[in-house]
Every structure is written in C-alpha cells, then in structure tokens.
Amino acid sequence: MNATSSQRDPAKMEKIVSLCKRRGFIFQSSEIYGGLNGAWDYGPLGVELKRNIKDYWWRCMTQLRDDVVGMDGAILMNRAVWKASGHETTFSDPMVDCKTCKRRFRADQLDSIECGQRPSKTPSTCGGELTEPRAFNLMFKTYVGPIEDDSSLTYLRPETAQAIFAQFKTVLEVSRKKLPFGIAQIGKAFRNEINPRNFTFRSREFEQMELEFFVQPDKGFEWLEYWKEERLRWYEAIGIPRARIRVLTVPDESRAFYSKGTYDLEYEFPFGIQELEGIAYRTDYDLKRHQECSGKPLEYFDEETRTKYIPHVVEPSAGVDRTVLAILCEAYAEEEVKDEGGKSEMRTVLRFHPRVAPVKCGVFPLLKNKPELVVKAHEVRDLLRPLMTVFYDDAGAIGRRYRRQDEAGTPFGVTIDFETLGEKGAEWKDTVTLRDRDSMKQERVPIPTLPERLLSRIR
Amino acid sequence: MNATSSQRDPAKMEKIVSLCKRRGFIFQSSEIYGGLNGAWDYGPLGVELKRNIKDYWWRCMTQLRDDVVGMDGAILMNRAVWKASGHETTFSDPMVDCKTCKRRFRADQLDSIECGQRPSKTPSTCGGELTEPRAFNLMFKTYVGPIEDDSSLTYLRPETAQAIFAQFKTVLEVSRKKLPFGIAQIGKAFRNEINPRNFTFRSREFEQMELEFFVQPDKGFEWLEYWKEERLRWYEAIGIPRARIRVLTVPDESRAFYSKGTYDLEYEFPFGIQELEGIAYRTDYDLKRHQECSGKPLEYFDEETRTKYIPHVVEPSAGVDRTVLAILCEAYAEEEVKDEGGKSEMRTVLRFHPRVAPVKCGVFPLLKNKPELVVKAHEVRDLLRPLMTVFYDDAGAIGRRYRRQDEAGTPFGVTIDFETLGEKGAEWKDTVTLRDRDSMKQERVPIPTLPERLLSRIR
C-alpha cells in the first residue's frame, strides 16, 4: 500500500514539526552549522518520550517474559558479518553519475538518462550525459585501526538484527534457554539514504527495537501470527489504537527471497501511509548463512525431538523514531475551548497515553509570591517526583500554565491554592485541584491520595 | 597517577573476563568471525546491569532535579562541529609508518625510529626505516550522501558533549531555564584507538554519560566542588564506596589548556588505577568557539545582573562501560562456604548493590515435578515481576540454583517449599524462604510482604 495524495495533510505535518521544535521534542542535528541532512536531535521532552517508548518495549518484550532475553551489541562489527548477511553485495540503490557535472542521482527517481533534461526531484541543471546505473551501497563505510585499506574497512550497522544472529549460540548457552526463545535488542542503525525525508521518518541515523524469536522449523507461521497480534496489542497500549494500524500481508513478489511470510504494520502519517514495523518469518536463512560463512556450528539440539537443526526465526522489527513520530501524530489535536473568562480560544494538545508522556504531572502553586503556597507546592513536587517525572511551574497565569502542559502532553496537573492551605475551610485543607489534560475537568483530591491515583493511570 | 605493577592483579582480571563471558555479561563483538578489536557486546545480564546504571544516572542527574534537562543528539553531526571544537586538528596520536613494510605504529610507544630495531609493544619485525612522526586523528571518518569527497566527509562523534554545546541555545529556550542549569546526555562515542586494551576499559566504541552544567562566570570553581561531591555520592549509591575512589586534582601542566580546574575520579582496577570520570571546569571555551565558528549568538542574558555573557561550564563526564567494569570488579568475590551437607566449597559471588543488580530476585520451586509447588512458584513470580526483574529457575538442586544466582549477582532468592503449601503446619502456609545473597541467611516471610520488603532495598 503506497501513500496516496488524498491521505496527505502537509499542513498538519508542518504544525507538528513546528511544535516539535518550539517545545523541544525534536530538532535538526548541528542546527547552528546548517544541520546534517537526515540526522536529528531529541530535546528535553523528546528524549523522555523516546525513553518511555523504549523502556516499555523492553519491559514487554524481555523483562515480563520467560522466553526472551536481551542483548546490546556494538555498532561496529567485523565486516565478515555484512558479507554473510548479503548487505555488502545487495544492500544498495541504483545510482547514475553525470559525466559533466559529476553529480550523482538515484536512477529510479530520474525520468531521463540525460542530466537535467526531464522533470525530476534532483536539482541538477547541467544537461550532461549520465552513466549507466550502478549499485550504490547504503552502508556507511569507515576504517578501523591506523591504516585505511581493504583489510580495515567496515560499516556502521544498517540494522541491529545481525548482532543477534552472530551471537545466537553464545546467548543460547549463557541463558540456558530452550526453543522457542528470543533475543531482543534496542540500538542505533545507519543507512546512507540518498534522499532522507518526511521529518524523522526516513533518516540516516535511527534507532531500532528488534526481536529475533527462534522456533522449531515447523512452527514459523504459528509464531508469525502470534507476534502480529502481540505487537498490535503493544501499539494499543502506548496510544495507537488497533483500528489506526493497517496490517499489510506483504505479497510474494514484494517479500525478501528468504521470507516465507511478512506483515507490515502501517500507520497513516500526515505524509502518507507508511511502515511502522515489519514482522517477518525469515526461516533459517540468517543463521544458515552465518554458519556457512563463519564455519561455526549454529545448530540447536532439540531434547524433545532428539534432533539437531538450525532454528527458524520470526522477527518483529520496529523503528523507535517512527514510533515516536506516529505517537506525536496520533496525539496531536487542536480544539476550541473556553478560557477562564468564558472566551473561546484554540488550544493545541498532545493527547499522549500517560504511560509514554514525557512529563506525567505538572505542579503549580497558584501564586509564586505567596510563600505558604510555594512551600506546599514543593512538598507535593517532592512527594511525586520519586515516582514519576514532574514539572514544576510557577510562571504566569494558571490558565497559561495549563496550556503549556497541554502542548507538552502532560496528562495531569496539580494546583496548590488557598483551599490547600485551609484558608477556605478546614474541610479543604491539604486538598489540591487535579486537572485532567483531555477532559480539562478539575476535581478536588487529598494530597496523600495523589501518588496511587496517578500511578494507577501511568503504569 | 599512573597504574603501577604493585597494584595489578591480572589473575583476578582474567577471572572476571571469564565470568563475564560464561555468564553472559560481556563478550567480543562478532566473535564467530574472530571479533573486532575494541568492540564489545553486552549479553542478557550485562545489558540489564548497564541499563540500571544508565537509568540511575538519568534519574539522579535529570529527573530528580529542577536544574537539569536531558537531550539525545545524533552520532553523526556536521563536520563544522569538529572543526570548531578543535577535534579535527588536535585530537590525534603521533604515528610513524615503516617505509618498507608499510605498518603503522604509535610514535610514543616505540623506542626507536627504525622499524623493529628496539624492544617495543608493536609486532613489527621488518627492520625498515620509519617516517617522521605525524598526527593520526582518532576520529572515525565516514561520508554522508552519495559522493565521497571532502564536502561529504564527517566523523563518528568522539564525545557526546559537543552536541550539547551546539544545541545549548535551543535547549535553553525551549526549557525556559535560568542559570545555573545543565543539559545531560547518554550516548555512544567512538575513538579509533591504536591499541584498545584492558577488556572494555579502552575500547573503540563506548558509551558516555555527560552533563554540561552552565553557570555564571564567577561561579565555576564553586560548582566544580559541588559536582565532585555529588558524583562521589552517586558512585557510593551504586556500590562503589567513596574510599575506593581516588580524587586526583589534575595538575596545571596536565590539564587541557581551556580548563581552569579538573578532578579525575579514579578506581583501582585489577590492571591498575585508571580514570572513571573527569570533572572539568571548562570555562566558556566551548560555547565561545561555537559562537565564533557558527556566527550564531550563544550568549545568555542574565536577568539578575542585567548583563549578557557566555556561560561557563562544569562538566562531569563518566564512562558507562568503565562504570560497568568498576562495578563488576568491586562486586567480584570468591569465598569458602559450607554446602548443605557441611562440606567446604568455594563460591563465586557478585555483590552488586541491589539497585544495579541485573536480576533482583530468583524464584525457585523446591521441586519441579510437584505441580502444587510449581503453581505457587508461578504465583510468586507473577507477583514480583511487574515490580522488578525476576529469574525463575527450577533446574537442579536448590543449592546449585543459589550458586548460579550468586554468580549472576542476584541479591534475593525466594524458595517455595512444602511449608509454603501448608503441609508442615498451618502457621507456615503462604510463607517462603527468603535468602540473602551476601549473608546467605534465610528467613521465613509471608508472600504478601515480599514486594515491599524487596522494593525497599532495591529503590
């Protein structure tokens, strides 16, 4: 399923990008030097949002399960890994060079083989003759050690999965697991995209959350279904409802040759419907290749069947940055609301699921020049902070402070006022106003009940 | 302070490396292909240990404070950053090439300028003439985009700090902070070390935890002291007592030229005393350089003094992998203990602080072929697992299972036995044996009290 223009909403996308920059979710890497195309930095709110997503994935995929363990492999690996995986020879886009101006273009994005003669997205203008297309490998190269030659060449990993395959036997042994079992990993990967685009969606540096789940050879399809369902539940739990994800059964002709079945989980971004996660039944292809190329046995002895075989693999592979972006798009809303004086105004709100919200609770003394309010507000902040991320704000009118937290996606706001101090009657003493971001409803609650009340909605 | 041979204990180091591999803490990257020198993978226990250390740093340094926010910058940055920071011209070791065999050596590790003529650590044997020393830059190079030339050249970041300096102004604005305030970051960095060594201590790919704390120009020394004390407390809280860390006041002639004061926090590893963390008062050097080179104003307007200036910086910069290694070395112990039959045996134990231990609690049904025990053990596992990492083990004699968890550094063990089922008297029903890893003492406790009892020691 490709993005069609009817689903696109560039104006919304622009607003999200602008909010991300304004509120410190995401900005361009090295911005003061003009940036670096395809590289992004996460600011104070963005880094917390991303951490929450990664932590929840890690908890669900490893810590809460008996059948998955984690690992964290290096980005730099022996080049032999990428020969064995096929990346060195086949992980490429077709490129052409202009013989005159020496610029380079993606052949499948040109309409002509003559430089600049036909409309295209490339900026060339010289009109020169182009070379025949040739493969341009998408892996970033580097040299390890003091001499730059073929023997010291390696790559920044273009995916995290291969570290898991290469360490399969070692992890199996140290963890004393039996099939079916999986190895999970979160980490950076790099692809030298010719045309990075759509904000953080297609970037050159990105983070993956990958699980390689090893199963008996005849159980592949069963586990493919299992993981599809499991992953859909996971997205639901972080605020992307099942109905918002399209499950694409990748047709035979579009699948990698070694895959017997692949689902793409797709999300309707404002720039079109695009892949969030691929769940692929990769058969025994990867382990077999590494066994052949390394000469090291990667077989599994199955005590149940008393046979030895190379396990089959089901791989749910998700992009961290894409998940962050989908959550931002899903959460973004503008709505007309009444201000305190009853006047209509627009508010921008990020309706994050409390589980992934960067800040869980705002804490506001009604006035900052009233020491009793400030002392009490500090107490509330210190009560909540060991349990969740808290933002303390005493600047400006309370309505403005609410709006700022709406834009940051903070699900709860606690205001300490004169009732809290007992000045409006003893029955209100040590109660606070608890405001809900989405309904904007406020209720009066005793301070000691706050932790459990909020935690029950955050966990 | 340099490592001296008197403090070295290579036998202990060998045992730690061996334990790390055997139990799945740390192993060589791409091991089945002969590895990659200076790159390491963290296995199931290692990744949890490392996560706990990073999470605790993040909590202490950002979430529990009002004056620090976090960010997460890209590894690939605009090359101009490394020109401005000085890394492109000065971040280098002196190297010589052999004119005959073309091998390359570190000049400061050779005793001769003739290849192989004098004893040295380098493996050359040809006896050829060597070139004059020249600077070899330690940054890994790569090319971004389709063409490999000077305009597309950049580097894998050799430190995370520069992303913070480059984004200082943006983060300041979005976070609405006032001085003093800091920006914290955890991430990978890369240095093309000629001679990676001492296990994970000096590797080519590593992770840093860095805080850049921005202060008024006359407050630098004050905050340098503050952060030294704060960081010492932090190490104490993860199991490295203050008495085990040597605070080196780096003498004038050894400090970077822009630093007005630096402390090194050093730990006595089995391979010598080495730096864990540097805490440097870097003055306004970095921001000033980036302001000059980018042409973007990086000044701060101080509302208190009504003046504009470039803030000064105090930087506590810690290595994640070094902290992991120090914790492993500090926790490692062998001791003679009595087995259940009263016979002496040696046990290996990792006395991790419960806060950083990869697994918090082992859960053991006394026998695995007794369904009532297994059902109850599953209940206990499911009670604890939402709150902490739990390892369920039903294989082998209970004494062996305890030993395995001792070696993994698991602080608590819970055994479900016939007393738990009420078979030895109603008063013991729903109680379990809680074993302490360090004292090996066992006490009888009611199941419902377990969560709070364990959490109070883990938090």
Side-chain angles (χ1 to χ4, degrees):
Chain A
M1 192 167 9
N2 281 316
T4 64
S5 56
S6 66
Q7 297 142 343
R8 290 182 187 166
D9 187 349
K12 180 177 176 188
M13 197 58 216
E14 233 169 77
K15 285 178 184 170
I16 290 171
V17 172
S18 154
L19 174 66
C20 280
K21 162 138 205 186
R22 188 171 75 249
R23 293 309 310 265
F25 282 96
I26 301 168
F27 17 78
Q28 240 194 327
S29 165
S30 326
E31 196 158 22
I32 59 172
Y33 293 104
L36 181 72
N37 194 1
W40 300 93
D41 288 358
Y42 289 79
L45 290 175
V47 65
E48 295 293 346
L49 175 59
K50 187 158 72 132
R51 283 176 64 84
N52 290 341
I53 291 166
K54 290 195 287 180
D55 284 353
Y56 190 65
W57 188 91
W58 190 260
R59 265 175 64 70
C60 293
M61 301 295 272
T62 74
Q63 294 172 341
L64 293 176
R65 303 182 65 103
D66 278 326
D67 58 358
V68 176
V69 298
M71 70 166 277
D72 183 16
I75 289 168
L76 297 175
M77 300 176 74
N78 190 307
R79 178 185 180 183
V81 170
W82 308 112
K83 289 182 195 271
S85 69
H87 283 84
E88 192 171 271
T89 45
T90 65
F91 193 63
S92 56
D93 280 340
M95 301 293 298
V96 295
D97 292 310
C98 171
K99 290 179 181 173
T100 312
C101 74
K102 309 294 180 200
R103 281 169 179 258
R104 189 165 279 181
F105 310 102
R106 259 184 71 170
D108 55 353
Q109 292 181 348
L110 284 178
D111 295 314
S112 155
I113 55 149
E114 202 178 350
C115 181
Q117 289 295 292
R118 309 267 175 90
S120 88
K121 288 179 193 163
T122 54
S124 171
T125 55
C126 96
E129 194 190 342
L130 299 180
T131 61
E132 286 298 300
R134 50 187 180 153
F136 171 73
N137 197 290
L138 295 179
M139 292 193 291
F140 284 99
K141 274 189 247 175
T142 196
Y143 295 95
V144 176
I147 297 176
E148 293 186 9
D149 66 12
D150 205 56
S151 73
S152 66
L153 175 68
T154 194
Y155 305 98
L156 307 194
R157 65 179 176 196
E159 61 174 38
T160 61
Q162 296 303 323
I164 297 178
F165 295 127
Q167 298 287 12
F168 161 71
K169 196 77 179 204
T170 306
V171 173
L172 177 70
E173 277 162 16
V174 301
S175 63
R176 300 164 53 237
K177 293 286 180 196
K178 294 193 192 342
L179 256 48
F181 101 105
I183 305 175
Q185 186 175 221
I186 299 176
K188 286 269 174 105
F190 300 81
R191 295 180 188 179
N192 197 0
E193 298 283 351
I194 304 310
N195 180 21
R197 62 195 175 278
N198 291 329
F199 198 29
T200 57
F201 183 83
R202 190 168 303 279
S203 52
R204 286 171 168 153
E205 176 175 340
F206 54 96
E207 216 164 350
Q208 294 186 307
M209 307 183 280
E210 295 198 305
L211 169 69
E212 307 302 324
F213 198 76
F214 302 97
V215 303
Q216 293 179 334
D218 59 343
K219 298 278 169 55
F221 287 108
E222 199 176 298
W223 282 102
L224 179 63
E225 294 305 311
Y226 169 87
W227 281 111
K228 181 194 70 183
E229 291 303 317
E230 199 62 23
R231 296 301 300 146
L232 285 167
R233 262 194 295 278
W234 186 83
Y235 285 106
E236 180 119 44
I238 56 168
I240 304 178
R242 203 178 167 114
R244 301 279 295 143
I245 292 182
R246 321 226 175 161
V247 180
L248 172 69
T249 305
V250 180
D252 288 4
E253 64 277 14
S254 310
R255 281 199 313 271
F257 69 91
Y258 49 75
S259 170
K260 279 197 180 168
T262 300
Y263 290 115
D264 281 353
L265 307 190
E266 302 184 319
Y267 178 78
E268 191 176 331
F269 290 95
F271 45 82
I273 295 174
Q274 295 282 353
E275 182 186 338
L276 261 189
E277 168 159 352
I279 304 167
Y281 171 23
R282 298 174 70 113
T283 70
D284 58 359
Y285 174 75
D286 306 274
L287 289 180
K288 210 180 232 168
R289 283 293 297 159
H290 284 300
Q291 175 167 292
E292 277 166 25
C293 297
S294 71
K296 300 286 191 312
L298 299 181
E299 287 162 320
Y300 173 79
F301 179 72
D302 192 323
E303 286 172 24
E304 210 182 294
T305 60
R306 312 294 298 168
T307 54
K308 229 182 186 176
Y309 52 81
I310 293 193
H312 280 221
V313 173
V314 175
E315 174 197 80
S317 170
V320 175
D321 311 84
R322 291 177 178 194
T323 306
V324 170
L325 189 55
I327 283 181
L328 281 163
C329 294
E330 188 67 23
Y332 185 89
E334 292 170 13
E335 51 184 28
E336 207 179 311
V337 294
K338 305 275 182 211
D339 75 2
E340 287 153 331
K343 234 176 52 190
S344 271
E345 60 169 2
M346 288 300 290
R347 77 159 182 166
T348 301
V349 56
L350 288 172
R351 301 186 189 278
F352 292 135
H353 190 294
R355 190 170 269 148
V356 296
V359 178
K360 308 304 185 194
C361 188
V363 174
F364 316 114
L366 186 64
L367 300 170
K368 74 168 162 184
N369 53 6
K370 183 88 183 172
E372 302 92 312
L373 289 175
V374 170
V375 166
K376 206 69 191 173
H378 284 178
E379 274 176 37
V380 172
R381 177 194 65 187
D382 297 343
L383 171 72
L384 296 178
R385 193 139 68 181
L387 308 169
M388 65 192 74
T389 46
V390 169
F391 189 80
Y392 183 86
D393 191 1
D394 60 11
I398 193 72
R400 266 182 73 87
R401 284 183 262 169
Y402 288 156
R403 289 289 173 279
R404 278 202 290 261
Q405 291 309 307
D406 288 346
E407 242 189 17
T410 305
F412 310 110
V414 167
T415 303
I416 290 82
D417 54 21
F418 293 105
E419 280 87 343
T420 315
L421 302 178
E423 296 186 7
K424 302 284 175 88
E427 72 273 33
W428 301 117
K429 193 167 156 40
D430 284 332
T431 64
V432 288
T433 296
L434 176 62
R435 175 182 183 268
D436 181 86
R437 174 199 63 203
D438 297 339
S439 68
M440 294 185 289
K441 293 227 169 85
Q442 305 193 5
E443 52 176 333
R444 201 79 209 168
V445 305
I447 292 173
T449 68
L450 276 175
E452 198 40 48
R453 198 182 278 260
L454 302 190
L455 283 175
S456 69
R457 296 190 47 198
I458 291 166
R459 274 189 202 119
Chain B
M1 191 165 15
N2 280 316
T4 64
S5 56
S6 68
Q7 296 142 341
R8 290 182 186 169
D9 186 350
K12 181 178 176 188
M13 198 57 216
E14 232 169 77
K15 284 178 185 171
I16 290 170
V17 173
S18 153
L19 174 67
C20 281
K21 159 134 206 187
R22 188 171 74 248
R23 293 309 309 267
F25 282 95
I26 301 168
F27 18 78
Q28 240 193 327
S29 165
S30 328
E31 197 160 21
I32 59 172
Y33 293 104
L36 181 73
N37 195 0
W40 300 93
D41 288 359
Y42 288 79
L45 289 175
V47 66
E48 295 293 347
L49 175 60
K50 188 158 70 131
R51 282 176 65 85
N52 291 341
I53 291 166
K54 290 195 287 181
D55 285 353
Y56 190 65
W57 188 91
W58 191 259
R59 265 174 65 71
C60 293
M61 302 294 272
T62 74
Q63 293 171 341
L64 294 176
R65 303 181 65 102
D66 277 327
D67 58 357
V68 177
V69 298
M71 69 167 277
D72 183 16
I75 289 168
L76 297 175
M77 301 175 73
N78 190 308
R79 178 185 180 182
V81 171
W82 309 111
K83 289 181 195 272
S85 69
H87 283 84
E88 192 172 90
T89 46
T90 65
F91 193 63
S92 56
D93 281 338
M95 300 294 299
V96 295
D97 291 311
C98 171
K99 291 180 180 173
T100 311
C101 74
K102 310 292 179 202
R103 281 169 179 259
R104 189 164 276 181
F105 309 103
R106 261 183 71 170
D108 55 353
Q109 292 180 349
L110 284 177
D111 294 315
S112 153
I113 54 148
E114 201 179 351
C115 179
Q117 289 294 293
R118 308 268 177 91
S120 89
K121 287 179 192 163
T122 53
S124 171
T125 54
C126 96
E129 196 189 340
L130 298 181
T131 62
E132 285 299 298
R134 49 185 183 156
F136 170 75
N137 197 291
L138 295 179
M139 292 194 290
F140 285 98
K141 274 189 247 173
T142 197
Y143 296 94
V144 176
I147 296 176
E148 294 186 9
D149 65 13
D150 206 54
S151 73
S152 64
L153 175 69
T154 195
Y155 305 98
L156 307 195
R157 66 178 175 198
E159 60 174 40
T160 62
Q162 295 303 323
I164 297 178
F165 296 127
Q167 298 287 14
F168 161 72
K169 197 78 180 200
T170 306
V171 173
L172 177 71
E173 277 162 17
V174 301
S175 63
R176 302 164 50 237
K177 294 287 180 196
K178 295 193 192 337
L179 254 50
F181 101 104
I183 306 176
Q185 184 174 221
I186 299 177
K188 285 269 173 105
F190 300 81
R191 294 181 188 178
N192 197 0
E193 298 282 352
I194 304 309
N195 180 22
R197 60 196 177 279
N198 292 330
F199 196 30
T200 57
F201 184 82
R202 190 168 302 279
S203 51
R204 286 172 168 152
E205 175 175 341
F206 53 97
E207 217 164 347
Q208 292 186 307
M209 305 183 282
E210 296 197 305
L211 169 69
E212 306 302 324
F213 198 75
F214 302 96
V215 302
Q216 293 178 334
D218 60 343
K219 298 279 168 58
F221 287 108
E222 199 175 298
W223 282 102
L224 179 63
E225 293 306 312
Y226 170 86
W227 282 112
K228 180 195 72 181
E229 291 303 317
E230 200 60 23
R231 296 300 300 145
L232 285 167
R233 261 195 295 277
W234 186 83
Y235 285 107
E236 180 119 44
I238 55 166
I240 304 178
R242 204 178 167 114
R244 302 277 295 143
I245 292 183
R246 321 225 177 161
V247 181
L248 172 69
T249 304
V250 179
D252 289 3
E253 64 277 16
S254 310
R255 280 200 313 269
F257 71 90
Y258 49 76
S259 170
K260 277 198 181 168
T262 301
Y263 291 114
D264 281 353
L265 307 189
E266 301 184 319
Y267 178 78
E268 191 176 331
F269 289 96
F271 46 81
I273 295 175
Q274 296 282 352
E275 182 186 338
L276 260 189
E277 168 158 353
I279 304 166
Y281 172 23
R282 299 174 69 113
T283 70
D284 58 0
Y285 174 74
D286 306 275
L287 288 181
K288 210 179 233 170
R289 283 291 298 159
H290 285 298
Q291 174 168 293
E292 278 166 24
C293 297
S294 71
K296 301 286 189 316
L298 300 181
E299 286 162 322
Y300 173 80
F301 178 72
D302 192 322
E303 287 172 22
E304 209 182 295
T305 61
R306 313 294 298 171
T307 54
K308 229 183 186 179
Y309 52 81
I310 293 194
H312 280 220
V313 173
V314 175
E315 173 197 81
S317 169
V320 176
D321 311 85
R322 291 178 178 194
T323 306
V324 170
L325 190 54
I327 283 181
L328 280 164
C329 294
E330 188 67 22
Y332 185 89
E334 293 170 13
E335 51 184 29
E336 209 180 308
V337 295
K338 305 278 183 206
D339 74 5
E340 288 154 331
K343 237 176 52 193
S344 273
E345 60 168 3
M346 289 299 289
R347 77 160 181 164
T348 301
V349 56
L350 288 173
R351 300 185 189 280
F352 292 135
H353 190 294
R355 191 170 269 151
V356 294
V359 178
K360 307 304 186 194
C361 187
V363 174
F364 316 114
L366 186 64
L367 300 170
K368 75 167 161 183
N369 53 8
K370 182 89 183 173
E372 302 93 313
L373 289 175
V374 170
V375 166
K376 205 73 193 170
H378 284 178
E379 276 176 37
V380 172
R381 178 196 63 189
D382 297 343
L383 171 72
L384 297 177
R385 194 139 67 183
L387 308 168
M388 65 192 75
T389 47
V390 168
F391 189 80
Y392 183 86
D393 190 1
D394 60 11
I398 191 73
R400 266 182 74 87
R401 283 182 263 169
Y402 288 155
R403 288 289 171 280
R404 278 202 290 261
Q405 290 310 307
D406 288 346
E407 243 188 17
T410 306
F412 309 110
V414 167
T415 303
I416 289 83
D417 54 21
F418 294 104
E419 279 87 342
T420 316
L421 302 179
E423 295 186 8
K424 302 283 176 84
E427 72 273 30
W428 301 117
K429 194 165 156 40
D430 285 331
T431 65
V432 289
T433 296
L434 175 62
R435 175 183 181 267
D436 181 86
R437 174 198 62 203
D438 297 339
S439 68
M440 295 186 288
K441 292 228 169 83
Q442 306 193 5
E443 51 176 335
R444 201 79 210 170
V445 305
I447 291 172
T449 68
L450 276 175
E452 199 39 50
R453 197 182 280 260
L454 302 189
L455 283 175
S456 69
R457 297 191 46 198
I458 291 166
R459 273 188 202 120

